[in-house]
Amino acid sequence: MDTFIDADRRYNSGLFHLIRQSPSDSEVDEVAPTLKISDAVLKPIINGLYYPDSPYEFSEMPADVLGQVYERFLGKVITLKAGVAEIEMKPEVKKAGGVYYTPSYIVRYLVDATVGADLAASQITDISGKGKSAGAPYRVVDPACGSGSFLIEVYQTLLDWYLAQYVAAEKTYSKGKGATIYKSDGGWRLRIAERKRILLDHIYGVDIDPQAVEVTKLSLLLKVLEGENSDEIARQMDLFTDRVLPDLGNNIQCGNSLIGEEYNSLYPADMLDPEARYTINTFDWEKKFPKVFQSGGFDAVVGNPPYFSIDKTWGAGDHKANALKTLYPKIHADKTDIYYYFLAKGVDITQGSLGFIVSRAFLEAVKAEKVRSYLSANSGVVEVFDFQNFAVFDGVGITTAMVLLSKRERPRKTRVVKVPGAIEPVDRTEKFLAKSEKLVRFTVPRTSLSSKPWRLSNSDISAMYARIDKAGHPLSRICKLGQGMQTGLNSVFGKKDRAAVNKMGALPEQVRHRARNTDIQRFHIVERDELLLYLEGEPEFNSLPTGVKKYLRSQQSELEKRAAFKRGNCEWWRYTWPLQRELYDRPRIICPYLAKENRFAIDADFKFLGLTDTTVIFPTDHKEDLRYICAILNSRLLNFRFKGIGKLKSNGIREYFDNSVSQLPIRRISWKDRRDVEIHDRIAALYTSLAAALANLTKPTAATVARDLRSQISRAETELNELVCELYGFTVAELDDAEAAVT
């Protein structure tokens, strides 16, 4: 025990939390003094950290390596089950998909673009807060600091900057009582006292997880002593009386970065149990960091905030979700992601810059309309770095983007960087991201960034998109679009083969083939032996065949659990939402919700039924043949156009939701123009030819027949694309160039 007391006296900072030696210390640990641990337990643990028992030389490891190790465990808890300790993922982390360590080259890029840029334009007195003309010290915060990787990089950047400034004025800073640098065998170094001051003056962090807070503190404290040996520490300690390590309790704090004390007025004490209130862990920024906000807020905000769907992770009606809805009315929308609120909070707490890596979904998602509006109205969008299909986080199906914002400036043009493919391991450096010509770089006017989706394209591509749009009319003005039907319980109505429906005596008009996402191809729908009971045309339950009634009654208890039935929106034996049922008596176009390219096909006689994973396009009063419209939707030109409309997900997949597909421009026919009519009729005929050939190609056939079919398909596709380009006023060569420029 004496050894630990001595270590606490020497190092402080919570590494050896015992009773504080000074009444002025902010924390008192009442548990540690009562612990009785024998040397027999401690000795092998401690020996295991040193040579020869340990295979690791910890003194050679950078501080952030331990942070990376610890972060692997931040999302886990130890539970006891039947007397056995088990490590399990925290429920909220499991739902969100895990905790992921931000790659170092991403951290360095964001820190360079924010803190590095600020330092490059500053003097020591501007940053330190010292000197007659200096204001408050330059302060940086990570509002979801995790294991502290961003703060460690910020700290290192500041250490390097200060050292360079001091060395440049060596005579001023290397001598006397106030010396900040000293000469060692390896060159000039910052004194420990100065490293402590820099840490306390400049670095701040918040995280809701107390484990994360402790890991961040540990990582930063290791950084204070990085490269020092015990002799040098002892020599420098003679020069000052306080302990070697600083107390970071006021800088790195535990709390909910998004929910402050206003929460308590929303949920008085009698409305929530103590455990629920404890997990909220409200955090008042201005009270916790009073000096920061007395001077206007933080100078930079950096980090990788969590991203997960609030509704999916917490569940509808959760008190935390309700709090965010009330506290952030300018951000909240149905099915918002948690990082939307972090973006808004980051803008609110900074007076300078912000650099985040987040899911790229906010760039294009309809539900992100409010957050885009908030960012563009309350900050300058300096840069959007869109990784597109490149997975920054290995093994995670999330596409990401870095966003740089500023409260100090509103640039007239926003820098845009796009990654056209993968980034090779050797190129995963901040210098590659900043300068490589392999990346697509351009600017967009500030006025183009509003509440509408941020469709980021260079001027040439944007001009081509505009030409395509001008040549046609939005699909929504020609057809009615909507989602496929909702059964409310696919396991009851679907997943039937022909033998099953025949056994229950279902009539032909009471059965449809399920058109799944993967079944819907360009020009045709693959027919599989998966059938759906479709009973929406029946007037009443008793009109159903006996076998069908018997089957449904066996499932009645499950069907009555559906929310729509409980609300009175459907009868127990029907679909919950047979959307646009009255329009299914005519041919219609269907497409999958998710696809890498345009895939539209016509269901002419209601043979197929698409559910919630499909978009349905119904003809209205247009004169154009539905085959003509569907063929144009499948053309290269409109496939190219949709890349500037559809929300990009991972692996090159885009969302083909009705609100996106509806924007595709359809060239209307001038029926008095003979060439227009000729092209219209030929395109309709090509649809018929391609639909038949592609369907036949999916069937078992001889190699020579398959070869002939592919040749026929190729010729028809070429002719179709030439005709579509002619209709819209383009050449195929122009389309070739545009496709090469867009990924």
Side-chain angles (χ1 to χ4, degrees), residues 199-258:
L199 177 58
L200 290 174
D201 282 357
H202 299 302
I203 306 296
Y204 295 81
V206 179
D207 201 284
I208 196 169
D209 188 335
Q211 291 174 288
V213 170
E214 294 308 313
V215 171
T216 296
K217 288 181 182 178
L218 175 61
S219 298
L220 290 169
L221 293 173
L222 291 172
K223 197 73 177 173
V224 172
L225 299 181
E226 190 174 57
E228 301 288 356
N229 57 48
S230 57
D231 291 340
E232 186 58 45
I233 292 173
R235 190 176 71 82
Q236 291 192 41
M237 282 185 66
D238 292 339
L239 302 179
F240 53 90
T241 58
D242 58 341
R243 298 171 181 176
V244 176
L245 295 175
D247 186 344
L248 294 178
N250 290 327
N251 289 61
I252 313 299
Q253 299 198 40
C254 185
N256 190 323
S257 291
L258 301 179

Side-chain angles (χ1 to χ4, degrees), residues 473-476 478-479 481 521-523 588-591 597-602 615-618 625-642 645 656 660-667 683 687 717 720-721 724 727-728:
H473 292 78
L475 183 61
S476 60
I478 303 171
C479 299
L481 290 88
Q521 299 297 318
R522 299 174 68 251
F523 299 100
R588 67 202 184 288
I589 300 171
I590 59 176
C591 74
E597 62 177 2
N598 291 13
R599 289 175 10 214
F600 295 87
I602 295 174
T615 292
V616 191
I617 304 166
F618 300 95
D625 193 307
L626 196 63
R627 294 174 300 164
Y628 164 82
I629 295 173
C630 192
I632 287 181
L633 291 172
N634 283 324
S635 68
R636 281 176 56 194
L637 189 71
L638 262 63
N639 186 65
F640 162 78
R641 181 64 188 95
F642 195 73
I645 296 174
Y656 282 75
S660 298
V661 174
S662 64
Q663 299 175 48
L664 282 169
I666 301 299
R667 167 68 152 77
I683 287 178
Y687 177 91
E717 292 260 29
L720 169 65
N721 290 314
V724 171
L727 272 178
Y728 284 78

Side-chain angles (χ1 to χ4, degrees), residues 74-94:
L74 286 182
K76 298 181 174 66
V77 291
I78 298 175
T79 60
L80 291 176
K81 294 184 177 180
V84 178
E86 295 184 1
I87 299 176
E88 296 180 340
M89 191 174 288
K90 296 176 181 177
E92 67 275 17
V93 173
K94 186 175 182 180

Side-chain angles (χ1 to χ4, degrees), residues 102 195 282 348 419 446 621 631 661:
T102 312
R195 296 171 73 95
T282 59
D348 291 345
V419 178
R446 181 179 67 195
D621 57 354
V661 174

